């Protein structure tokens, strides 16, 4: 049976701050111990704070990057070694259509970053 990190989080009602590397590390360790391994991780966290570019603050900009890019970085850093050890695993990174249809600039930027992260990890 596949052990999905996202299903585990949902079943436990976990509210994880993916921008906090220590919290992610602890969560992954607990999930790995309880599940006996992690086969699938889905990076789907996002920040729905979408404002026009000229209305966006630098704080909003940094939060957007932290949630949408640093969060998946933390998750991948923790699950990839576990998956390599098992010689099996899948990471699903959700980018959506926003950058391709001209959504808010900040959201479009980070979602293309997810595409780059996914392609880079696949090549490695």
């Amino acid at each position: 049976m596949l052990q999905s990190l996202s299903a585990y989080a949902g079943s436990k009602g976990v509210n994880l701050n993916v921008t906090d590397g220590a919290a992610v590390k602890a969560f992954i360790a607990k999930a790995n111990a309880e599940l006996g391994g992690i086969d699938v991780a889905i990076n789907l966290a996002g920040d729905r704070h979408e404002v026009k570019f000229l209305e966006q603050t630098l704080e909003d900009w940094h939060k957007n990057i932290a949630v949408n890019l640093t969060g998946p970085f933390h998750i991948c850093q923790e699950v990839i070694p576990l998956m390599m050890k098992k010689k099996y695993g899948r990471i699903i990174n959700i980018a959506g259509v926003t950058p391709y249809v001209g959504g808010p600039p900040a959201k479009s930027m980070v979602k293309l970053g997810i595409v780059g992260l996914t392609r880079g990890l696949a090549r490695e």
Side-chain angles (χ1 to χ4, degrees):
M1 179 163 90
L2 290 177
Q3 303 300 331
S4 168
L5 188 58
S6 299
Y8 171 81
S11 72
K12 299 290 184 180
V14 173
N15 186 9
L16 176 65
N17 178 358
V18 295
T19 69
D20 180 346
V24 170
K25 185 178 188 101
F27 170 73
I28 299 293
K30 182 177 180 187
N32 186 51
E34 288 184 18
L35 296 172
I38 296 170
D39 298 314
V40 180
I42 301 172
N43 284 309
L44 184 58
D47 180 12
R48 301 295 300 169
H49 183 72
E50 298 172 11
V51 297
K52 293 185 179 190
F53 182 76
L54 293 178
E55 296 170 6
Q56 188 163 38
T57 67
L58 186 57
E59 181 181 344
D60 292 336
W61 179 264
H62 286 298
K63 181 180 178 191
N64 182 38
I65 292 169
V67 171
N68 289 286
L69 292 176
T70 305
F73 167 82
H74 289 312
I75 297 289
C76 290
Q77 284 267 300
E78 296 302 321
V79 300
I80 289 173
L82 300 173
M83 292 174 173
M84 290 174 69
K85 185 176 179 182
K86 278 182 88 170
K87 297 187 186 325
Y88 182 84
R90 299 292 183 265
I91 298 172
I92 301 167
N93 294 319
I94 306 297
V97 299
T98 297
Y100 304 104
V101 297
K107 182 175 181 182
S108 296
M109 177 264 308
V110 294
K111 294 305 180 177
L112 280 178
I114 290 294
V115 172
L117 173 67
T118 303
R119 290 179 178 170
L121 287 173
R123 182 167 292 274
E124 279 189 19

